[in-house]
Amino acid sequence: LEVATPEFKQYSVQVRANAAAMADQLVKHGYQLATGGTENHLVLWDLKPSKVSGAKMQVMCDALSITLNKNAVLGDKSALTPGGVRLGSPALTTRGLNEDHFRTVADFLHSAVTMSQRIMEASGPKLKDFTDLVHTDAEVKEVRLAVKTFVTQFPMPGFDVADMKYKELI
């Protein structure tokens, strides 16, 4: 019943528009998308040209309170060391973000790549060493605060920001 409503149709249109805006902003930053863009709610981002693995990008984004998934992309030799990440737009669209907001999200992702590149120079190739440095890095903490400040202006269904608790369901 829900998907037959005009509201759900508008939501679906917004989900696709938001994914496209994020994809376009990443391309403007000079990044390569595995499919050249997006036609749906997902963006598959090839990080190999940036010399950042999907696993390291996932660690960095987890530290920034940004959720994404490491993902294999064309040319990967093993799914255990993926060269990309998968980004989705529905969750943030549900919270009320629009295309301009998704461009800001892409800017945060660009910061995540540049911080990852800097930290990798000091940590070397091992994921554990990279992870340890990510969790103590001052710039990472600063960007995490910026991410949280940005996203908390959008209500999360079922969560009361004032009390920082999930609302009781009746």
Side-chain angles (χ1 to χ4, degrees), residues 42-151:
L42 293 174
V43 175
L44 184 55
W45 183 7
D46 184 353
L47 291 164
K48 288 189 306 262
S50 303
K51 307 276 193 262
V52 176
S53 73
K56 287 181 180 169
M57 185 64 166
Q58 183 174 309
V59 166
M60 174 60 74
C61 286
D62 284 348
L64 297 175
S65 299
I66 297 172
T67 302
L68 50 70
N69 300 98
K70 59 187 174 186
N71 205 96
V73 293
L74 185 66
D76 282 348
K77 293 179 180 22
S78 167
L80 298 175
T81 55
V85 292
R86 185 180 70 233
L87 309 161
S89 61
L92 291 178
T93 302
T94 298
R95 291 181 72 171
L97 279 75
N98 63 27
E99 295 95 327
D100 287 337
H101 301 127
F102 269 80
R103 288 183 193 92
T104 300
V105 170
D107 293 341
F108 284 131
L109 293 167
H110 170 63
S111 295
V113 169
T114 59
M115 289 186 296
S116 294
Q117 291 168 328
R118 177 181 52 78
I119 291 172
M120 284 170 47
E121 288 178 13
S123 72
K126 291 187 179 177
L127 184 60
K128 182 186 181 332
D129 296 338
F130 175 82
T131 302
D132 291 345
L133 287 179
V134 164
H135 291 298
T136 59
D137 188 81
E139 185 182 5
V140 171
K141 291 176 183 177
E142 184 181 310
V143 174
R144 178 178 48 234
L145 178 60
V147 168
K148 287 183 177 186
T149 300
F150 169 74
V151 80

Side-chain angles (χ1 to χ4, degrees), residues 15-33 35-40 42-45 87 99-100 102-107 109-110:
V15 164
R16 288 181 65 197
N18 287 346
M22 180 168 49
D24 291 343
Q25 188 72 2
L26 290 171
V27 169
K28 284 181 184 172
H29 280 295
Y31 298 112
Q32 182 177 336
L33 304 180
T35 58
T38 185
E39 296 292 323
N40 55 35
L42 293 174
V43 175
L44 184 55
W45 183 7
L87 309 161
E99 295 95 327
D100 287 337
F102 269 80
R103 288 183 193 92
T104 300
V105 170
D107 293 341
L109 293 167
H110 170 63

